[in-house]
Amino acid sequence: MEPFDEKDIATLAADDVSTADTTSPSTTDEIKEHPRYTRYLVIASCFTIQGLSCGVVHSWGVQQEYLANNVYKDEPKKIETLSYIGTLMFFSLYLWGMPAGWIAEVWSYRNLCFIGVVIMAVGQVLASFCSEPWQLCITQGIVFGVGIGLVFGPTSTAPAGWFTKRRGLATGITVAGVGVGGLVIAPLTEFLVRTTSVAWSQRITAIYILVLGTISCWFVRVPTQNTHRSFRSFNWREFKNRRFAVHAAMVFFVTAAYIVPYTYLPEFWVTHGISSQTASVLIAVANVASSVGRIVTGFSADYIGVLNSLALSLGIACVSCLLVWPFATNIGVGVVMGLFYGFTAGGYWSVAPLAAAKLFGIEKLASNTGTFYTVSAVGAWLGNPVGNAILSGPGHGTLFLGMSIYIGVLWFSAFVMAVVNRASYSKRLIDIV
């Protein structure tokens, strides 16, 4: 394996394996017209916005645990309603994927992200004045979720257009912002909740989202903006393509599974005698592992193949839920769970858009990725409520065994879908695809 250096990132190569994954000559010419540092500013700005938006989602479990065990501890119906908030944020994130992708491609990545940042800040401010869980569902869940939905897809895909040879590494660094955001925001949220209140933690969150997000939005852009496309040019017959349908099914299973451990692992650890402060640190460990996993998986995709990296990440995430989670009842095994799950589940987010680029082309990456997110919104909606229903049922015990099996099966289903699309390229295990 050849060593990596800065020159490799800056080099724009046209020797990708698949013609579907090749940047057009006109786009390459557009890239060359910009200063070299432009692409690095794009990565940094998208990294920051990803951290601000998804970091709050990953940290919601801290606030949920505090509200459930302190504010609403004797009101099971309200505790049940709280479980929908994380789901609503996740659902809204994906529901707006298709329109966000298309608007970014035909209008402006920068302007759309700015609108999303403002909506996120407004959602947090409104949530800070809520006194009932159903009100939080509307403000924290739906309003804030819409803001995330407008920024997530564009910031996930914008850097890919600036690279070819090191596209995996560039995308991996960008989406690592989610893990870093969770690493910073989860302990910060824990500190703010304990020293002030949930309401003030939300107001302070709104302030740093608005300030840092607005600055970052200015640098979000793509080499060329295709203003000739419109919503009418979308081809719904894409779903008749087997690869397209299989990839959509894979994203559905992942979105149903992904956020559930981040939401319920703090409760799982507290149930087994681990303090809420330590539980937030363990979630931070998972976020660190997620950041590293996103970068490493993206980097590895440049060498062993995007589809190979995708299948590998999904398979290990499945194993961590089925074989590690049930035994993570102490700090030591909890760290192992956080490391394994964070690394592999996080790695998925690096290679999912790259797989879409390889399978269906880079020119429509934002709209195609947004489409996959939208059709998988049902999976995001089912994830946490089904997990909560399993916990509420009789006989689940303190191991959360039913939940870990449920999540493991979802990851396994996604793994099968990834293997099917990988096999459509090559059935030889040693091939780089």
Side-chain angles (χ1 to χ4, degrees):
M1 181 183 299
E2 61 179 332
F4 161 74
D5 55 34
E6 181 178 317
K7 182 178 179 181
D8 289 329
I9 288 188
T11 300
L12 295 166
D15 57 350
D16 296 83
V17 176
S18 170
T19 57
D21 192 28
T22 303
T23 304
S24 66
S26 60
T27 302
T28 302
D29 291 339
E30 290 281 349
I31 296 173
K32 291 179 179 178
E33 291 178 1
H34 297 284
R36 176 174 295 182
Y37 62 79
T38 300
R39 68 195 72 180
Y40 304 130
L41 289 175
V42 172
I43 291 177
S45 60
C46 292
F47 173 95
T48 301
I49 295 173
Q50 291 252 320
L52 292 172
S53 57
C54 296
V56 173
V57 177
H58 284 192
S59 302
W60 164 246
V62 174
Q63 292 178 327
Q64 180 178 336
E65 181 274 325
Y66 179 86
L67 292 171
N69 292 326
N70 295 275
V71 181
Y72 306 119
K73 63 179 180 180
D74 297 321
E75 301 177 82
K77 290 294 184 181
K78 292 186 177 181
I79 293 176
E80 181 180 355
T81 303
L82 287 175
S83 70
Y84 285 94
I85 296 173
T87 300
L88 283 169
M89 287 190 286
F90 212 43
F91 176 76
S92 298
L93 186 159
Y94 291 108
L95 182 64
W96 288 88
M98 181 159 54
W102 277 86
I103 293 171
E105 285 185 353
V106 304
W107 181 44
S108 169
Y109 279 71
R110 175 190 298 163
N111 294 341
L112 182 64
C113 286
F114 176 73
I115 293 172
V117 164
V118 171
I119 293 175
M120 285 193 294
V122 169
Q124 287 292 298
V125 172
L126 293 176
S128 71
F129 293 100
C130 295
S131 58
E132 296 292 331
W134 69 266
Q135 297 169 339
L136 287 171
C137 285
I138 296 174
T139 55
Q140 178 90 14
I142 297 177
V143 177
F144 183 79
V146 170
I148 303 173
L150 295 181
V151 304
F152 183 74
T155 55
S156 297
T157 58
W162 295 89
F163 299 86
T164 53
K165 186 175 181 182
R166 299 296 180 184
R167 184 175 292 159
L169 178 60
T171 304
I173 293 173
T174 301
V175 298
V178 176
V180 174
L183 168 65
V184 175
I185 293 175
L188 176 60
T189 301
E190 168 72 22
F191 171 78
L192 292 173
V193 167
R194 301 296 173 184
T195 57
T196 58
S197 64
V198 172
W200 272 106
S201 72
Q202 292 164 331
R203 291 164 193 157
I204 294 172
T205 299
I207 293 172
Y208 63 68
I209 284 177
L210 187 61
V211 173
L212 297 178
T214 300
I215 295 172
S216 299
C217 286
W218 180 257
F219 302 103
V220 178
R221 62 183 302 178
V222 289
T224 180
Q225 197 80 45
N226 187 354
T227 57
H228 299 292
R229 298 180 62 200
S230 68
F231 284 96
R232 294 181 180 180
S233 63
F234 180 76
N235 185 6
W236 291 98
R237 287 179 291 181
E238 289 280 8
F239 287 96
K240 294 183 179 180
N241 182 308
R242 192 183 77 164
R243 285 179 176 173
F244 197 92
V246 168
H247 194 80
M250 179 202 71
V251 177
F252 166 85
F253 289 124
V254 171
T255 51
Y258 175 75
I259 200 64
V260 179
Y262 283 101
T263 302
Y264 284 98
L265 276 173
E267 181 180 343
F268 169 79
W269 285 318
V270 170
T271 300
H272 286 86
I274 297 175
S275 69
S276 59
Q277 292 85 351
T278 303
S280 70
V281 172
L282 291 176
I283 285 294
V285 168
N287 282 307
V288 172
S290 176
S291 297
V292 176
R294 290 163 195 254
I295 296 173
V296 172
T297 304
F299 181 66
S300 69
D302 292 328
Y303 290 93
I304 68 172
V306 172
L307 302 182
N308 290 336
S309 295
L310 177 61
L312 186 62
S313 295
L314 297 176
I316 300 177
C318 169
V319 170
S320 69
C321 290
L322 292 177
L323 300 182
V324 182
W325 187 349
F327 305 100
T329 57
N330 56 63
I331 295 176
V333 185
V335 170
V336 173
M337 175 61 190
L339 290 174
F340 266 83
Y341 186 77
F343 187 94
T344 55
Y348 159 82
W349 297 103
S350 295
V351 289
L354 299 176
K358 184 176 184 65
L359 293 167
F360 314 111
I362 187 68
E363 299 298 331
K364 297 193 295 181
L365 179 58
S367 56
N368 279 339
T369 299
T371 299
F372 293 132
Y373 288 161
T374 296
V375 299
S376 68
V378 176
W381 176 256
L382 292 175
N384 276 336
V386 172
N388 185 69
I390 292 173
L391 290 183
S392 301
H396 70 79
T398 58
L399 290 178
F400 286 45
L401 185 59
M403 178 178 284
S404 65
I405 294 174
Y406 158 62
I407 300 304
V409 169
L410 289 174
W411 279 110
F412 179 76
S413 300
F415 168 73
V416 171
M417 296 297 102
V419 170
V420 169
N421 264 351
R422 195 269 180 205
S424 71
Y425 260 79
S426 174
K427 293 180 172 61
R428 285 164 46 92
L429 293 177
I430 62 174
D431 285 351
I432 299 176
V433 293

